[in-house]
C-alpha cells in the first residue's frame, strides 16, 4: 500500500508538470519541504497540486459538475470561490479545458467554441484583464454549450 501511494505521488507530479522536468523537480522539492514538518512527513497525492499552486483536480471536477447543473448563480458562486482561494485563472482555464476536451457527452462544436474562448481569455489575461471576469466568461459559454448538448 505504501508503494502504491508513492507511485500515486509520482504520477501526480508528472501529470502536473506536463513533461517539464524542471517543473517536476521543483514540485517534488516544494512538496518535500512543505510536508517535512507536517504529520508523519510523508508527501500525499492530494496536496501536490496545492503545493504547486495549481487548482486541485477535485476543484475542477466540482466546476464541471456545476456547469452540468446549468445554473448560472451556482457557477458564479463557485468561480468567486476559486478566485478567493487564489488559484490563477490561467491554470484553472487550462485544467478545465483538459477535462472538457475528453468529455464524450459534449459535441465537437461546443468544445471548439469553448477552446476559442479559453484562448481569447488567456490572451486577455496576458494583457492584464481581470481573472474573475475571464473565468466567468469561459464558464458562461460552457454553461450555454452544456445546455444545448444531447
Amino acid at each position: 500500500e505504501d508503494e502504491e501511494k508513492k507511485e500515486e505521488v509520482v504520477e501526480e507530479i508528472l501529470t502536473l508538470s506536463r513533461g517539464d522536468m524542471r517543473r517536476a523537480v521543483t514540485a517534488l522539492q516544494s512538496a518535500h519541504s512543505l510536508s517535512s514538518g507536517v504529520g508523519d512527513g510523508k508527501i500525499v497525492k492530494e496536496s501536490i497540486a496545492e503545493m504547486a499552486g495549481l487548482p486541485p483536480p477535485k476543484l475542477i471536477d466540482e466546476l464541471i459538475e456545476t456547469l452540468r447543473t446549468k445554473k448560472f448563480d451556482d457557477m458564479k458562486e463557485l468561480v468567486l470561490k476559486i478566485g478567493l482561494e487564489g488559484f490563477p485563472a490561467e491554470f484553472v482555464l487550462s485544467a478545465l479545458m483538459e477535462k472538457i476536451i475528453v468529455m464524450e457527452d459534449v459535441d465537437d462544436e461546443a468544445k471548439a467554441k469553448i477552446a476559442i474562448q479559453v484562448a481569447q481569455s488567456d490572451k486577455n489575461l496576458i494583457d492584464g484583464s481581470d481573472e474573475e471576469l475571464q473565468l466567468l466568461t469561459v464558464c458562461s459559454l460552457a454553461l450555454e454549450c452544456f445546455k444545448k448538448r444531447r
Side-chain angles (χ1 to χ4, degrees):
E1 185 178 311
D2 202 38
E3 285 299 316
E4 190 174 300
K5 287 184 179 185
K6 287 179 185 177
E7 188 67 29
E8 286 179 356
V9 168
V10 170
E11 286 297 321
E12 184 72 5
I13 289 172
L14 292 174
T15 300
L16 293 174
S17 65
R18 296 189 181 124
D20 184 340
M21 183 59 79
R22 291 172 295 179
R23 185 183 283 178
V25 169
T26 301
L28 186 58
Q29 288 171 331
S30 297
H32 174 71
S33 295
L34 293 171
S35 66
S36 61
V38 180
D40 58 8
K42 292 185 179 178
I43 301 170
V44 292
K45 176 186 174 188
E46 291 74 24
S47 62
I48 296 295
E50 189 175 343
M51 288 178 193
L54 302 173
K58 286 182 183 179
L59 183 67
I60 302 303
D61 291 340
E62 181 182 357
L63 182 55
I64 294 278
E65 285 308 310
T66 302
L67 293 171
R68 286 177 188 261
T69 66
K70 304 173 180 113
K71 295 180 182 171
F72 180 83
D73 290 336
D74 292 346
M75 178 272 296
K76 181 180 176 186
E77 186 178 314
L78 182 56
V79 166
L80 295 176
K81 176 185 161 195
I82 290 169
L84 290 174
E85 289 183 14
F87 296 111
E90 70 176 289
F91 295 144
V92 174
L93 291 174
S94 177
L96 179 63
M97 196 65 234
E98 285 178 18
K99 295 268 186 176
I100 290 174
I101 287 294
V102 297
M103 292 173 66
E104 293 181 8
D105 60 338
V106 178
D107 65 33
D108 290 341
E109 182 180 352
K111 290 177 184 179
K113 286 180 181 178
I114 296 167
I116 289 168
Q117 185 58 57
V118 167
Q120 182 63 48
S121 291
D122 192 41
K123 182 210 176 287
N124 292 345
L125 289 168
I126 291 169
D127 291 342
S129 183
D130 182 68
E131 292 194 3
E132 184 179 300
L133 182 60
Q134 295 309 310
L135 276 173
L136 282 171
T137 301
V138 170
C139 290
S140 295
L141 177 64
L143 197 67
E144 181 182 321
C145 290
F146 283 14
K147 283 182 182 179
K148 295 178 184 177
R149 69 179 187 177
R150 314 169 216 156

